[in-house]
Amino acid sequence: MARVIPLTDARAAQPNGSVPHPSAAPRVAPTGELADVRGRLLRDLRVSVTDRCNFRCVYCMPKDVFGRDYPFLPHAELLTFEEIARLARVFKAHGVKKIRLTGGEPLLRKNIERLIEMLASIGDLDITLTTNGALLARKARELKAAGLNRVTVSLDALDDGVFRAMNDADFPVAKVLEGIDAAARAGLAPIKINMVVKRGMNEHEILPMARHFRGSGHILRFIEYMDVGHTNGWRMDDVVPSAEVLTTIGREFPLEPVDAAYTGEVAERWRYRDASAGEIGVISSVTQAFCRDCTRARLATDGRLYTCLFATTGYDLRALVRGGSSDEEIGNYIAAIWLQRADRYSEIRSEHTVALPKIEMSYIGG
Ligand code: SAM
């Protein structure tokens, strides 16, 4: 029997009162220096190109909710590549410098390399992609040729049994490792490896993962398990704090902190004292929220714009794109949304906020 989750379908949520109607958004010159009410500039855009995934990670798209009957978005509701590229141009004019394609599983979107080509032709954009790696061995070269700069690959364990239990699609570790190797050969470097650490599930994989990727040139990053969406049954007790990850690794391989490469970098960087072994990162979204520096906007699969991973209100850019608005009008609306942005969910997370309606990660883009 499928588990019934009282999902608030916030995909239909209306914008809040302080954002003007798109037709009334005042003109904002695209200076590329758009700051929200907390002084945070718009710099990154994450685009969820599909809400579908070939994995059913237990902490993200649990099978008992995302089963055979799950109503994924019909194709006509997805932004087309032309629409994404057009919006990317408008976002770039307002300051975006980096675009990350995500999902769902972005490599499931047919002809994704065509979208990458279109984004690359805009120029001066750092184009990256987050993937579970399942299709990477097959696609790495085409992605690179299309103009993709780098990839981040999610991998939660090296132990095959643990990994299969977490992806719940019976997918083997070896195939993901092949994908990582193919990406390295194709020059999609530096490759980041994301490991979500969930208490009682894979924390004993922290050291094996560190040993494996140490000295490989790839950057292993440990992500605190977050309360995104409604379906994963998140509890604070399931979070393994980054401090614990660092202590575990530091006992075997001494570490020292590295300065952030840029403002808004989500991962806190640490390097092995043995300099040739490279560095790792920790993403402490729960225990040390980094809302203060968050420069990310998120374009959901159906073209709604969210200004926080935990937002409940999305702004329908697809309606504008399909309704005949000019680039300038769309830019003004994006500016109006960003200028009033005040979210800092992770900083105010509490037992009360956990129960608030939230959007599933696969739709809003991880
Ligand atoms: N399918 C792609 C992948 O697996 O990388 C891209 C989408 S996935 C939603 C993006 C990232 O979000 C992955 O690294 C995944 O592990 C992470 N993620 C998903 N649910 C999470 C949660 N509840 N807490 C922390 N990270 C999560």
Side-chain angles (χ1 to χ4, degrees):
M1 241 283 269
R3 183 156 60 102
V4 178
I5 301 280
L7 270 179
T8 304
D9 194 352
R11 290 178 292 191
Q14 293 303 309
N16 69 35
S18 53
V19 174
H21 186 271
S23 61
R27 179 162 193 281
V28 178
T31 59
E33 296 297 312
L34 205 57
D36 72 6
V37 296
R38 300 185 193 284
R40 300 169 296 189
L41 295 169
L42 172 62
R43 286 288 178 258
D44 308 84
L45 180 66
R46 295 203 173 178
V47 185
S48 173
V49 293
T50 174
D51 57 343
R52 290 164 198 263
C53 190
N54 45 355
F55 283 14
R56 284 294 175 271
C57 297
V58 290
Y59 55 80
C60 187
M61 293 181 74
K63 225 181 220 168
D64 54 354
V65 174
F66 294 89
R68 279 184 195 286
D69 307 330
Y70 186 80
F72 289 104
L73 289 167
H75 195 74
E77 294 210 14
L78 271 51
L79 288 179
T80 65
F81 291 165
E82 287 72 20
E83 289 168 341
I84 295 173
R86 181 178 170 203
L87 286 172
R89 243 180 247 111
V90 178
F91 273 100
K92 185 190 165 204
H94 280 287
V96 162
K97 299 195 180 308
K98 177 166 138 191
I99 296 192
R100 175 173 300 280
L101 301 181
T102 177
E105 171 48 43
L107 298 187
L108 288 184
R109 180 87 186 248
K110 215 168 155 205
N111 300 325
I112 186 78
E113 25 332 301
R114 177 80 197 104
L115 171 63
I116 292 167
E117 265 169 22
M118 291 163 81
L119 295 174
S121 74
I122 295 173
D124 281 336
L125 281 171
D126 184 18
I127 302 167
T128 67
L129 178 144
T130 303
T131 174
N132 59 28
L135 299 171
L136 197 52
R138 213 189 300 161
K139 291 194 167 241
R141 279 175 53 185
E142 286 174 73
L143 294 170
K144 178 68 186 178
L148 188 70
N149 297 116
R150 292 173 289 110
V151 281
T152 296
V153 183
S154 306
L155 178 64
D156 295 328
L158 271 187
D159 178 276
D160 208 47
V162 175
F163 184 58
R164 285 178 199 250
M166 286 187 83
N167 67 53
D168 210 10
D170 209 21
F171 200 84
V173 171
K175 287 258 181 216
V176 180
L177 295 177
E178 269 173 40
I180 293 170
D181 289 347
R185 279 196 305 274
L188 289 166
I191 298 173
K192 291 177 182 155
I193 315 291
N194 276 357
M195 171 178 178
V196 175
V197 189
K198 188 171 177 206
R199 179 80 72 202
M201 195 134 222
N202 64 339
E203 78 249 56
H204 52 287
E205 284 290 298
I206 294 170
L207 265 176
M209 287 282 284
R211 287 183 198 124
H212 183 86
F213 287 108
R214 202 173 165 272
S216 67
H218 310 326
I219 303 168
L220 176 60
R221 306 179 329 158
F222 300 89
I223 307 181
E224 287 178 352
Y225 171 48
M226 292 182 285
D227 51 330
V228 264
H230 262 291
T231 52
N232 63 12
W234 184 90
R235 293 174 321 138
M236 188 67 200
D237 289 352
D238 296 331
V239 178
V240 177
S242 295
E244 188 178 320
V245 173
L246 291 171
T247 308
T248 305
I249 298 176
R251 250 186 248 126
E252 184 164 326
F253 305 113
L255 293 163
E256 58 195 17
V258 184
D259 288 341
Y262 55 91
T263 310
E265 191 170 36
V266 289
E268 187 187 300
R269 300 167 60 196
W270 291 77
R271 74 176 149 236
Y272 294 106
R273 287 239 180 96
D274 163 8
S276 62
E279 67 177 74
I280 60 164
V282 288
I283 302 183
S284 319
S285 10
V286 178
T287 61
Q288 274 183 291
F290 38 78
C291 306
R292 189 177 316 118
D293 292 329
C294 179
T295 53
R296 279 176 294 288
R298 292 168 187 274
L299 191 55
T301 320
D302 62 359
R304 279 177 194 272
L305 174 64
Y306 293 85
T307 56
C308 175
L309 182 56
F310 301 93
T312 50
T313 301
Y315 302 92
D316 192 356
L317 299 188
R318 191 187 66 194
L320 271 60
V321 169
R322 295 189 183 172
S325 297
S326 67
D327 286 0
E328 187 183 352
E329 286 163 339
I330 297 170
N332 290 340
Y333 189 46
I334 291 170
I337 294 163
W338 193 265
L339 288 169
Q340 62 81 51
R341 173 185 189 247
D343 345 55
R344 51 185 198 100
Y345 175 89
S346 292
E347 286 178 0
I348 56 169
R349 176 186 280 112
S350 70
E351 58 193 68
H352 305 296
T353 55
V354 166
L356 289 175
K358 281 182 248 108
I359 312 290
E360 294 305 325
M361 191 125 160
S362 45
Y363 159 78
I364 199 171

